[in-house]
Amino acid sequence: TLLYTIKFEDLGMTLVTDMDRIRSVFNKYCTSPAAEPSNLPSNLPSKSLSNSPSNLPSNPPLNQPTPDTTSPYLTPQQYKVAALAISGYKPTKSMVERLYRDLELPHGRMDQDTFLRIQLEQAKLRSVTETLKQVFQAFDWSANGFISRRDFVKAVGDVMPKYSNAGALFDKADWDQDGRVSWRDFTTIMGMS
């Protein structure tokens, strides 16, 4: 919990900047309904615009929300590009389809608030992961990708000099009981995997 506390105090300051950046990226890649072409061709004779049943717009089914046609939105393809611009990571088509399905986005349109919420959650996760990597590397005195019992006990002693159960703590951290703490062990014990 000490690691999370330290990082989230830092995160408070960085999230303000991230929010502005996320909004900017959204605005760069979104579709604005005002810019969409009209659904009706402009060269139709006025007679075809009568109120006959075949020319009236159909009402959406009662169980589906009517899309907000006045707010900008991201299509799944635009989301992939925007997510790449923010994180440097391009989600797969199936990941985006699952996200849109799980969020039950009306007509495949993600609004700015939803995009902002998702990207802030991702930023928090990336920040926590980066902090854990730094801590793991600091504990890995041998720089071999694993934390030995000796390195772990030394690091705990440096960080918490009055803590006397570093060996027992190592045993808990060594999730797969192979005598060393791997990155996978470390993220497991920290609740990240």
Side-chain angles (χ1 to χ4, degrees):
T1 38
L2 179 63
L3 299 175
Y4 290 101
T5 305
I6 293 168
K7 191 56 193 173
F8 285 121
E9 287 174 5
D10 294 341
L11 206 55
M13 289 188 272
T14 60
L15 284 181
V16 174
T17 313
D18 287 345
M19 287 174 61
D20 292 340
R21 184 166 174 262
I22 292 168
R23 283 188 183 104
S24 171
V25 168
F26 178 89
N27 291 329
K28 181 176 181 179
Y29 295 105
C30 73
T31 297
S32 175
E36 289 180 339
S38 169
N39 291 336
L40 295 174
S42 60
N43 60 351
L44 283 179
S46 59
K47 159 178 154 176
S48 68
L49 298 177
S50 71
N51 286 337
S52 68
S54 63
N55 291 329
L56 290 176
S58 62
N59 291 329
L62 293 176
N63 60 349
Q64 289 189 0
T66 304
D68 177 1
T69 57
T70 60
S71 298
Y73 63 89
L74 292 175
T75 64
Q77 185 60 34
Q78 291 166 325
Y79 174 83
K80 285 172 66 172
V81 175
L84 175 64
I86 289 172
S87 67
Y89 170 75
K90 185 176 180 181
T92 65
K93 181 179 179 180
S94 63
M95 290 170 69
V96 174
E97 288 172 352
R98 188 173 349 126
L99 174 70
Y100 272 63
R101 184 180 59 247
D102 291 349
L103 292 173
E104 298 178 4
L105 297 172
H107 303 279
R109 295 178 171 199
M110 182 181 292
D111 64 19
Q112 186 177 31
D113 290 340
T114 304
F115 182 71
L116 184 63
R117 181 176 47 83
I118 290 168
Q119 293 307 314
L120 287 175
E121 289 171 9
Q122 293 289 325
K124 286 179 187 177
L125 182 59
R126 282 189 303 271
S127 294
V128 169
T129 302
E130 287 303 312
T131 299
L132 288 178
K133 281 181 185 176
Q134 291 169 1
V135 170
F136 182 83
Q137 290 169 349
F139 277 41
D140 180 14
W141 291 67
S142 305
N144 62 1
F146 297 97
I147 304 171
S148 68
R149 177 180 285 277
R150 187 191 67 170
D151 289 347
F152 189 89
V153 170
K154 180 175 176 9
V156 170
D158 289 347
V159 174
M160 301 180 294
K162 294 182 181 182
Y163 189 75
S164 62
N165 289 333
L169 190 57
F170 176 84
D171 292 337
K172 285 184 182 178
D174 183 14
W175 195 256
D176 58 8
Q177 302 299 306
D178 64 355
R180 60 188 185 176
V181 175
S182 65
W183 172 247
R184 184 174 185 173
D185 292 335
F186 194 72
T187 57
T188 300
I189 197 70
M190 297 305 291
M192 293 293 294
S193 62

